[in-house]
């Protein structure tokens, strides 16, 4: 049986708390001290003089409730960013008179930012803490969105989107990792990525309506994104004000380990498997959501507004899937559940590809979104189950940032192939990616069960 330890920090006036350990059945004796104390238990509830982080809950301490609200809002804005591409790409292409491959640079540019985020996430946590991430990440987006809203030349749009990639990469890594430290992780991550999906659902509706109904330029959508990102700074800074770099180092380096946790995490096979999986998954998600409008206009011969709504349908399906299936997944286990979801998604994708009718395609792509929705949070759960707690931020940060790179590389590749072979190539590419995802997922080792997810 695996052993485990935990540390509980509490003031003298706080009553005894029960630990959240796999094998613990003991209790913590009350302490008489004037300041916060740390009580460390072995798997049998006995003090052993070592310290690691205890599992907190979404509502305990109370500040966690407000932190979750700030994070959910951040992921809503994050989803609006990714969901807007599909609706805006045809109008960007028309406005600047671009080919498919040149238009695809809007997907590729954020790769530079995601790469920096992947390499620096853990170090930035040590220097700035979560409070610093809450300021830095949305600040990058405020600058980027503000520049795009001014309708600059296309090369400026491409370059400044790298800053958007940096901001999204940092918040993606930080907030996924933080929620991974809480009890009921699977459900909370499902809700978190449900907010991402919600943002991705409403942004095509908003942007398409602004362009087709309000007769505004595509760049006006980024005024909205600038304001929302500024609000994100205020909410995140207030919620994580006490989460400094010194506190992060104190909590996560209590075992006396030296710096370089990212290097240690990169030596683990699980980190690379999950990073590769998320690269393909996020690339699939953004490729389908980003090019579906173009496909429905050019291949299914739909009108601009109904075609734009198919992107909304895809992201809505993804949102509902993350919330609904997020409660089913832990009951049957992530390994079996994700495998089943991918097989069903392959069937839906075949219907999408082989039945050339607009309505059938719209329904099928929504179902693909539904069954692929819970895959990202399930991958984060896999990391928390298969790696030591002190590696979670580094491993999740690296995997999530590499996944964000997939959101840049694969949609660009889809655009390049569409330039050569036509937009109908989207469907076989999506089908191939689903098959690759299933193959990668099955290489993960068996996952242990943990009480903190119950």
């Amino acid at each position: 049986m695996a052993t485990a330890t935990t540390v509980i920090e509490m003031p003298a006036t706080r009553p005894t708390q029960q630990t959240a350990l796999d094998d613990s059945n003991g209790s913590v004796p009350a302490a008489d001290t004037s300041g916060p104390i740390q009580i460390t238990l072995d798997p049998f509830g006995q003090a052993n003089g070592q310290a690691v982080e205890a599992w907190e809950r979404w509502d305990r301490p109370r500040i966690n409730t407000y932190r979750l609200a700030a994070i959910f809002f951040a992921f809503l804005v994050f989803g609006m960013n990714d969901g807007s591409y599909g609706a805006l790409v045809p109008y960007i292409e028309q406005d600047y008179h671009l080919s498919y491959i040149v238009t695809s640079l809007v997907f590729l540019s954020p790769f530079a930012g995601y790469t920096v985020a992947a390499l620096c996430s853990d170090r930035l946590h040590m220097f700035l803490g979560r409070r610093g991430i809450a300021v830095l990440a949305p600040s990058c987006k405020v600058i980027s969105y503000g520049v795009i809203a001014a309708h600059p030349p296309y090369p400026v749009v491409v370059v400044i989107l790298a800053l958007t990639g940096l901001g999204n990469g940092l918040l993606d890594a930080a907030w996924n990792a933080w929620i991974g430290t809480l009890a009921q992780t699977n459900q909370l991550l499902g809700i978190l990525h449900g907010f991402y999906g919600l943002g991705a659902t409403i942004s095509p509706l908003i942007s398409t309506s602004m362009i087709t109904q309000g007769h505004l330029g595509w760049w006006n959508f980024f005024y909205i994104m600038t304001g929302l990102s500024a609000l994100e700074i205020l909410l995140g800074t207030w919620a994580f004000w006490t989460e400094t770099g010194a506190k992060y180092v104190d909590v996560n380096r209590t075992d006396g380990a030296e710096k370089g946790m990212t290097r240690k995490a990169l030596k683990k096979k699980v980190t690379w498997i999950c990073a590769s999986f998320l690269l393909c998954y996020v690339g699939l998600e953004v490729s389908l959501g980003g090019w579906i409008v173009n496909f429905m206009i050019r291949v299914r011969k739909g009108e601009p507004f109904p075609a734009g709504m198919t992107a909304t349908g895809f992201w809505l399906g993804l949102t509902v899937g993350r919330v609904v299936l997020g409660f089913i997944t832990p009951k049957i286990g992530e390994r079996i559940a994700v495998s089943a979801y991918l097989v069903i998604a392959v069937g839906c994708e075949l219907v999408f590809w082989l039945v050339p009718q607009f309505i059938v395609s719209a329904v099928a792509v929504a179902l693909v979104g539904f069954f692929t929705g819970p895959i990202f949070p399930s991958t984060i759960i896999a990391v928390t189950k298969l790696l030591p707690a002190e590696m979670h931020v580094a491993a999740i940060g690296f995997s999530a940032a590499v996944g964000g790179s997939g959101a840049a590389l694969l949609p660009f590749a889809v655009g390049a192939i569409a330039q050569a072979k036509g937009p109908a190539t989207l469907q076989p590419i999506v089908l191939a990616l689903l098959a690759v995802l299933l193959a990668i997922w099955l290489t993960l080792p068996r996952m242990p069960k943990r009480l903190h997810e119950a």
Side-chain angles (χ1 to χ4, degrees):
M1 181 177 294
T3 61
T5 59
T6 190
V7 58
I8 296 177
E9 179 174 307
M10 58 185 182
T13 57
R14 182 173 296 178
T16 300
Q17 299 184 26
Q18 182 70 29
T19 60
L21 293 172
D22 291 8
D23 303 304
S24 176
N25 57 8
S27 60
V28 182
D32 184 14
T33 181
S34 58
I37 60 170
Q38 289 186 332
I39 300 174
T40 309
L41 305 179
D42 64 16
F44 304 99
Q46 304 299 320
N48 62 8
Q50 296 178 347
V52 295
E53 188 176 3
W55 297 111
E56 295 182 353
R57 293 180 56 85
W58 69 270
D59 58 348
R60 191 174 66 234
R62 182 178 294 274
I63 188 64
N64 282 354
T65 303
Y66 304 114
R67 288 172 178 167
L68 274 175
I71 289 174
F72 289 162
F73 179 77
F75 264 67
L76 178 77
V77 180
F78 186 12
M80 291 183 68
N81 175 86
D82 287 358
S84 66
Y85 287 115
L88 296 179
V89 157
Y91 302 101
I92 295 174
E93 179 185 349
Q94 181 181 10
D95 182 33
Y96 291 110
H97 308 288
L98 306 173
S99 64
Y100 283 131
I101 192 168
V102 177
T103 306
S104 299
L105 291 174
V106 299
F107 296 106
L108 184 62
S109 174
F111 174 71
Y114 278 111
T115 301
V116 174
L119 297 175
C120 300
S121 179
D122 193 54
R123 186 168 296 275
L124 285 174
H125 272 77
M126 289 191 294
F127 282 105
L128 303 176
R130 294 188 176 102
R131 179 177 70 187
I133 299 297
V135 175
L136 178 61
S139 295
C140 291
K141 297 192 293 180
V142 167
I143 296 171
S144 177
Y145 295 147
V147 171
I148 297 173
H151 194 207
Y154 185 68
V156 176
V157 174
V158 172
V159 172
I160 201 66
L161 280 173
L163 203 56
T164 305
L166 175 60
N168 285 333
L170 289 174
L171 73 86
D172 196 14
W175 302 152
N176 274 294
W178 183 76
I179 288 184
T181 67
L182 303 180
Q184 298 177 305
T185 305
N186 212 318
Q187 292 86 344
L188 290 174
L189 282 173
I191 296 172
L192 173 70
H193 291 277
F195 272 91
Y196 170 91
L198 177 61
T201 300
I202 63 176
S203 65
L205 179 62
I206 295 171
S207 57
T208 301
S209 297
M210 290 175 68
I211 296 169
T212 62
Q213 309 299 320
H215 306 291
L216 298 173
W218 62 268
W219 56 90
N220 286 280
F221 174 74
F222 289 93
Y223 284 111
I224 297 175
M225 297 299 292
T226 303
L228 292 175
S229 297
L231 181 57
E232 187 183 334
I233 296 175
L234 298 178
L235 295 176
T237 303
W238 174 77
F240 286 95
W241 183 255
T242 61
E243 295 296 309
T244 62
K247 181 176 180 180
Y248 176 84
V249 172
D250 182 60
V251 170
N252 292 277
R253 299 292 184 266
T254 51
D255 59 354
E258 58 186 24
K259 296 180 180 179
M261 196 57 65
T262 299
R263 289 193 296 272
K264 294 181 180 179
L266 292 180
K267 293 179 181 179
K268 298 292 185 178
K269 180 181 177 182
V270 168
T271 303
W272 287 101
I273 293 175
C274 290
S276 301
F277 184 82
L278 289 183
L279 185 147
C280 292
Y281 169 73
V282 179
L284 163 72
E285 179 183 272
V286 178
S287 294
L288 190 52
W291 287 106
I292 185 61
V293 177
N294 197 293
F295 176 88
M296 297 299 276
I297 292 174
R298 304 287 177 89
V299 180
R300 294 293 188 255
K301 308 302 180 183
E303 295 296 323
F305 187 78
M309 292 305 97
T310 60
T312 295
F314 169 72
W315 292 111
L316 179 61
L318 183 140
T319 303
V320 175
R322 283 182 172 169
V323 175
V324 174
L325 297 180
F327 288 89
I328 297 175
T329 299
K331 297 184 183 299
I332 59 179
E334 288 80 10
R335 187 180 178 86
I336 295 175
V338 170
S339 300
Y341 300 154
L342 286 171
V343 170
I344 297 172
V346 166
C348 295
E349 176 58 29
L350 283 171
V351 173
F352 185 13
W353 182 16
L354 299 176
V355 181
Q357 296 181 16
F358 187 94
I359 295 178
V360 174
S361 297
V363 173
V365 77
L367 289 174
V368 171
F370 179 82
F371 287 106
T372 57
I375 291 178
F376 192 105
S378 295
T379 308
I380 303 302
I381 294 297
V383 174
T384 63
K385 284 187 172 184
L386 295 171
L387 291 179
E390 64 271 15
M391 293 186 183
H392 286 176
V393 167
I396 292 173
F398 178 79
S399 299
V402 170
S405 301
L409 295 174
L410 293 182
F412 175 78
V414 170
I417 295 172
Q419 178 70 30
K421 302 295 184 180
T425 54
L426 174 65
Q427 301 315 314
I429 292 172
V430 169
L431 187 63
L433 285 173
L434 287 170
V436 170
L437 282 171
L438 181 58
I440 296 175
W441 182 256
L442 293 176
T443 64
L444 281 173
R446 289 178 60 86
M447 300 178 198
K449 293 182 179 180
R450 292 187 180 172
L451 273 177
H452 81 274
E453 295 166 1

